[in-house]
Amino acid sequence: MSYNLPTNGPSFSSAHPSDQESYWRASNRPSYANSQTPSSNIGGRLYDFFSEGQRLPMYKDKPHHQPRRRRSLWRRKRVFGLVSFVLLGYFWWVGLLPVGRVSRSNPGKGANDGWSWLQPGKVGDSRVWDERRDKVTEAFKISWDGYEKYAWGLDEYHPISKKGRNMVEGGMGWIIVDALDTMMMMNLTSRVKHAREWIATSLTYNAHHEVNTFETTIRMLGGLLSAHYLSTTFPDLAPLQDDDVNQPGEDLYIEKATDLADRILGAFESKSGIPYASFNLNTSVGAPSHADGGASSTAEAATLQLEFKYLAKLTGETHYWEKVEKVVEVISNNHVRDGLLPIFIYPDTGSFRGENIRLGSRGDSYYEYLIKQYLQTWEGEPIYLEMWNESLEGIKKHLLTYSKRVSLTVLAERQNGLSNPMTPKMDHLVCFLPGTIALGVTGGSSVSEAKARLGSAWTKKHDEDLELAKELMKTCWGMYKVMGTGLAPEIAYFELDDPPRKWVPLDQDPPESASLSESHDGQWRKDYDIHPNDVHNLQRPETVESLFYMYRITGDIMYREWGWEMFQSFVKHTQVYDDDGVPYAFTSLDNGKHVPARQRDNMESFWLAETLKYMFLLFSPESDFPLDEVVINTEGHIFPRFQMGKIFKTGWKPGAAREAHEVNSEETQVIRVENVDGPVGLKGGHG
C-alpha cells in the first residue's frame, strides 16, 4: 500500500528523487491517533492494547508506575483485542494494511523499502551533500518553529502536549541561547532576529534560584560566546543590525555573557577552588551538591575552561582565566594513577570521593577539555597535551577490552577502582571519544595534511591512536544498528570473555573486529546487551559529533553515510505530527529498541544546539569552520583559537605542591601530599 506525502508538509527536495520519494512518503505519515484510515486506526488501538502495562520508567531515579486496572476492564480489553485481531487479519487479507515494520508515529513502508541509496559509497556528487544538509536545516526549522509556537521563551519544551515550562522565574533562555549559533550557521536570519530580540528584552539573571554550574556554563555562557564569535567574524551569516531594543550601542552577547559569568564565579569560592555543583543565580553564592556527599562531579568541575578562557581573552580580565586554571591545578596535585580520575571531587578539600572511574557521565568531558585546551591557545599550554596523552595511555591500559564474539573495541568502566574488575558498560556519552582521539592525532587537520606537516615526526603512536578512534567509532555506530529504530540506547552493555581480554597495541597484531552486517542474526548483535531500563533515546549528539570529526579528519565518506542513515532514523521515528498530518516537532523516545517506537514528551535543547548542528556540519563543505582553526565546546558551541599573549599564563606546573614546604600559617592553609586521598589545601596564587 502506498502513502502520499502530505501536500502541506515541508519540502525535502531529493538528490535522487525517484529513490528518496518513496522514503519520504513512508516517513512523513501521521501517528495512529491522527490517521483516518480504518487499517491504521485498528493498528493504533492494537498497539495501545498490547503495550498496556509495559511502559518503562521515564528516568531510572524516577520510576513511572502504571495505575491499577480493574479485572472488568481487562476483560473488556481482551474481548476488544480478539475482535480487533480478526478485523486486522481481514484488512491485511484485502490489502488495506501496510506490510513491514511500522512506527507508531510514522506508519509506512518497511524499513528497507527504497533505502538502497543509503549504502556507503553510493553518493559522490557534492550536490547530494548540499541537499542533505538542506534537509537537516528543514528538520531544525520544524523543531524551532514548533517551539516558537507552543513554548516560546520557556526553558523546557514538551512537543507532544504542546507546552513548556521554565526552570527559574522568568526563564534562562535555555533553548533560545543554546540553539542561537546553530541558527546563525544555517543562516536563518528571521529566526535569529526573533531570538536576539528576546535576549535583549526578556533575558535577565535575577531569579533567586540555584542552577547547575556546569550546564549553565556550557549551554548559556557557551552559547552567548559562540553567538558573539559568529556574528562578529562571519557578518554575512544571518546578518542583523548591531543595536538592540533597550541596549543601543552595546554588544548584546558579550554584555549578557559577562553578566552571567560574574554570577557563575561565585561557584568557585570554595576552600580548594573546585567549583560547587550549583550557584544561586541572583546572589552568586555557590551551593554544594545535595547528593553525593556534597561532591561535585569531576567532569562538571573541569569542563568550564574553554568558556572562561575565551571570555578572558575577549575582555582582558585575567581572573576568569585564573579561576578555571586553578581547578586543573587542584586536580593535578592529587597525582592520580595513569591520568584516570574518579568521577567525584570535594570542593572544600579538593580530594576525590570514591574510586569510580569511567568516561561516561560525570567523567567524560574532563578528558575532552584536556586536548581542546591545548588546541585553543594554538598549543600555547603544552601541559594539557601531556595530560591528554597520559590519560589516553591509561585508557588503553585499564579501560579497553574486546567483545566476546566479534572483537568490537569496548570502553569499559572501573566502578571500584583500577585494581578491581571492569564493568562492560558504555554510556552513549562515551561516544564523544572517537572524534576527540582523532582530533588529538592531527590537531584538527586532515590526516594527509598532518602527515605532510609532521613528516618524520608522524609516529606509530599516531597510527595507533587513529586506528583506536576508528574501532571505537564502529562500536558506537553498532549501538545504533542494534536497535530496531536505528537510534541508540542511553546505555549499552557488552558480552566479554572471562576474564576480559586486554587491549592489544597496533604493532602487536590486535584482533580484527567483524563488520556490522545488516543480517538480523549477525553474531555482532549478540555482543550487545541492552537492558530494559536503557532503551530510551534522548536525541543525544555524541555519536554524530564523532562522525563529524572522523569524516573531517580521515576523509572517509562512510562516516557521512552513517550520519545520513542516523538522520533518516530520527526523521522516521521521532517526528511529531499535528491532526492534519503535518510534522511540527521532533521528540525523545521512551523505547527505541522496537518498532513502532514509543515517544517521550520532551525535546532536549542539545537536539538543536548539537545533534542537528553536527549533522549540518557533517554534510557541509570541509572548508566551513575548519577544525584546525576553531575549538568546539562540549555543548557544540564554536570558539576561535587564539594566542595567549603576555597577560595569560598557565600559572602552575605538575608536582608544584610537592615542592612546597610551608604556607602562611595565619591563613591556616596546609599542603598535604603524603596522603592524596585525604584533605588537600592549596596555596593561593599562581606562581
Side-chain angles (χ1 to χ4, degrees):
M1 178 176 178
S2 63
Y3 291 93
N4 294 320
L5 187 69
T7 56
N8 51 353
S11 173
F12 290 91
S13 59
S14 171
H16 301 281
S18 60
D19 290 329
Q20 288 199 41
E21 187 176 340
S22 63
Y23 170 76
W24 287 108
R25 285 199 196 105
S27 64
N28 284 277
R29 289 293 299 166
S31 67
Y32 284 127
N34 298 327
S35 179
Q36 301 303 311
T37 63
S39 61
S40 57
N41 282 337
I42 291 175
R45 290 170 185 165
L46 280 175
Y47 176 88
D48 291 338
F49 172 72
F50 286 115
S51 65
E52 198 68 44
Q54 296 181 14
R55 295 182 184 272
L56 297 176
M58 295 189 68
Y59 295 95
K60 292 181 183 178
D61 57 343
K62 296 180 181 178
H64 177 68
H65 299 288
Q66 287 291 328
R68 292 184 178 179
R69 298 163 58 228
R70 297 177 183 175
R71 180 170 297 181
S72 59
L73 176 60
W74 163 246
R75 287 174 177 167
R76 291 197 299 270
K77 289 276 190 176
R78 183 169 57 186
V79 172
F80 174 76
L82 292 173
V83 173
S84 298
F85 188 78
V86 172
L87 290 174
L88 182 66
Y90 169 75
F91 285 120
W92 176 82
W93 179 258
V94 297
L96 293 178
L97 285 182
V99 180
R101 296 185 305 173
V102 295
S103 168
R104 184 180 185 186
S105 57
N106 301 288
K109 292 189 177 182
N112 295 319
D113 194 8
W115 284 34
S116 60
W117 52 277
L118 287 174
Q119 297 306 311
K122 289 283 185 178
V123 180
D125 190 340
S126 62
R127 292 173 298 179
V128 171
W129 296 109
D130 291 342
E131 293 172 6
R132 290 181 173 184
R133 179 183 59 180
D134 291 343
K135 292 182 177 66
V136 175
T137 302
E138 287 296 322
F140 182 96
K141 290 193 291 187
I142 290 171
S143 301
W144 177 265
D145 292 351
Y147 165 73
E148 194 173 42
K149 181 176 182 179
Y150 297 114
W152 178 246
L154 301 179
D155 296 327
E156 296 179 7
Y157 175 36
H158 307 298
I160 296 175
S161 56
K162 299 181 180 179
K163 61 184 180 182
R165 76 177 187 93
N166 277 328
M167 298 184 296
V168 303
E169 183 179 356
M172 294 182 66
W174 205 254
I175 293 176
I176 293 174
V177 174
D178 215 10
L180 181 59
D181 61 349
T182 306
M183 287 188 287
M184 290 179 171
M185 294 168 64
M186 293 178 174
N187 206 24
L188 302 177
T189 305
S190 62
R191 293 169 178 84
V192 172
K193 181 180 180 181
H194 192 198
R196 185 177 173 107
E197 288 173 351
W198 186 91
I199 292 170
T201 59
S202 301
L203 180 59
T204 65
Y205 302 116
N206 299 321
H208 192 73
H209 199 285
E210 288 182 7
V211 295
N212 182 272
T213 304
F214 163 76
E215 298 287 359
T216 303
T217 299
I218 66 168
R219 300 191 195 210
M220 300 297 95
L221 182 59
L224 291 167
L225 292 173
S226 183
H228 167 78
Y229 168 60
L230 295 182
S231 63
T232 55
T233 308
F234 305 96
D236 293 333
L237 289 179
L240 300 177
Q241 296 292 329
D242 290 335
D243 289 350
D244 296 281
V245 179
N246 298 335
Q247 294 183 285
E250 296 180 358
D251 189 316
L252 174 67
Y253 303 131
I254 288 298
E255 289 294 326
K256 293 294 184 182
T258 304
D259 181 13
L260 179 58
D262 288 342
R263 296 168 189 267
I264 298 172
L265 285 180
F268 292 83
E269 297 302 318
S270 66
K271 293 179 181 179
S272 71
I274 294 293
Y276 291 109
S278 301
F279 69 98
N280 186 292
L281 192 61
N282 180 274
T283 65
S284 187
V285 175
S289 172
H290 300 295
D292 308 313
S296 300
S297 75
T298 303
E300 293 182 351
T303 310
L304 313 169
Q305 284 68 23
L306 295 182
E307 296 79 7
F308 275 92
K309 285 183 174 182
Y310 180 37
L311 181 60
K313 183 67 176 180
L314 287 171
T315 63
E317 297 290 343
T318 59
H319 65 285
Y320 294 133
W321 187 287
E322 292 164 354
K323 288 291 186 182
V324 294
E325 285 277 17
K326 182 73 171 179
V327 174
V328 189
E329 178 186 16
V330 175
I331 288 173
S332 176
N333 286 334
N334 275 271
H335 306 290
V336 297
R337 180 181 172 188
D338 294 329
L340 300 179
L341 278 56
I343 61 173
F344 292 106
I345 187 168
Y346 290 110
D348 286 343
T349 65
S351 60
F352 289 109
R353 177 178 188 260
E355 296 183 281
N356 192 343
I357 294 173
R358 66 186 185 214
L359 270 78
S361 62
R362 301 185 179 274
D364 48 1
S365 47
Y366 160 75
Y367 304 94
E368 174 189 355
Y369 270 34
L370 291 179
I371 189 62
K372 288 184 176 179
Q373 284 183 86
Y374 171 66
L375 297 174
Q376 182 181 35
T377 59
W378 288 113
E379 305 176 4
E381 295 186 281
I383 181 57
Y384 290 109
L385 177 61
E386 296 173 19
M387 296 175 72
W388 163 253
N389 284 331
E390 180 187 19
S391 296
L392 184 55
E393 293 307 306
I395 290 167
K396 296 174 184 177
K397 180 179 179 180
H398 298 288
L399 301 181
L400 292 180
T401 184
Y402 300 101
S403 68
K404 184 175 182 178
R405 296 172 182 83
V406 299
S407 296
L408 295 170
T409 299
V410 176
L411 179 58
E413 300 180 355
R414 296 277 186 176
Q415 297 180 351
N416 296 298
L418 297 181
S419 300
N420 287 297
M422 61 173 51
T423 302
K425 167 179 173 282
M426 284 179 62
D427 295 354
H428 187 276
L429 292 166
V430 166
C431 291
F432 82 93
L433 190 60
T436 303
I437 292 175
L439 177 66
V441 171
T442 70
S445 64
S446 68
V447 171
S448 59
E449 291 170 339
K451 286 183 175 180
R453 183 180 71 250
L454 294 175
S456 60
W458 181 276
T459 65
K460 290 181 179 180
K461 184 182 185 306
H462 290 89
D463 289 324
E464 177 177 283
D465 290 351
L466 191 60
E467 187 62 26
L468 173 59
K470 293 177 180 179
E471 289 300 317
L472 284 172
M473 189 76 261
K474 179 193 285 188
T475 304
C476 287
W477 179 234
M479 292 170 66
Y480 283 74
K481 298 289 287 183
V482 78
M483 300 290 280
T485 60
L487 297 174
E490 181 73 357
I491 298 169
Y493 289 81
F494 294 84
E495 295 286 339
L496 304 182
D497 294 298
D498 187 15
R501 285 178 281 168
K502 292 184 178 181
W503 179 79
V504 180
L506 185 61
D507 60 357
Q508 297 180 25
D509 194 23
E512 183 176 351
S513 61
S515 64
L516 304 178
S517 67
E518 297 292 337
S519 173
H520 292 292
D521 57 358
Q523 286 295 301
W524 68 269
R525 296 179 183 273
K526 299 177 182 179
D527 278 352
Y528 287 85
D529 178 18
I530 311 302
H531 295 184
N533 277 353
D534 302 325
V535 295
H536 51 289
N537 179 283
L538 302 181
Q539 307 170 292
R540 287 199 184 276
E542 289 77 22
T543 297
V544 70
E545 171 188 353
S546 279
L547 290 175
F548 163 61
Y549 280 102
M550 294 298 292
Y551 171 68
R552 285 285 183 97
I553 290 168
T554 69
D556 191 336
I557 198 173
M558 173 182 69
Y559 299 119
R560 268 185 159 181
E561 294 290 356
W562 287 359
W564 179 240
E565 188 173 342
M566 181 193 302
F567 176 69
Q568 303 286 15
S569 295
F570 275 118
V571 169
K572 186 170 186 179
H573 299 289
T574 72
Q575 278 199 103
V576 184
Y577 297 82
D578 66 17
D579 292 339
D580 296 322
V582 179
Y584 68 89
F586 290 78
T587 196
S588 303
L589 297 180
D590 263 336
N591 189 342
K593 188 172 184 178
H594 303 294
V595 177
R598 186 164 68 244
Q599 294 183 336
R600 173 180 292 188
D601 190 13
N602 190 60
M603 184 200 77
E604 295 283 355
S605 71
F606 51 66
W607 166 249
L608 303 176
E610 297 186 81
T611 307
L612 290 177
K613 179 185 290 161
Y614 282 121
M615 288 181 177
F616 179 84
L617 289 172
L618 177 60
F619 305 146
S620 295
E622 291 83 345
S623 58
D624 288 3
F625 306 102
L627 286 174
D628 55 356
E629 296 181 11
V630 299
V631 289
I632 306 177
N633 89 335
T634 198
E635 185 69 11
H637 298 307
I638 297 182
F639 307 149
R641 299 188 187 187
F642 56 81
Q643 299 288 345
M644 291 174 66
K646 295 181 178 180
I647 66 173
F648 300 112
K649 59 183 180 180
T650 305
W652 64 277
K653 59 183 180 180
R658 293 184 183 275
E659 301 170 3
H661 299 290
E662 60 181 350
V663 293
N664 190 331
S665 60
E666 293 181 358
E667 296 179 357
T668 65
Q669 291 179 301
V670 180
I671 294 179
R672 298 175 60 182
V673 298
E674 68 276 9
N675 179 8
V676 297
D677 293 325
V680 178
L682 295 167
K683 184 178 180 179
H686 303 268

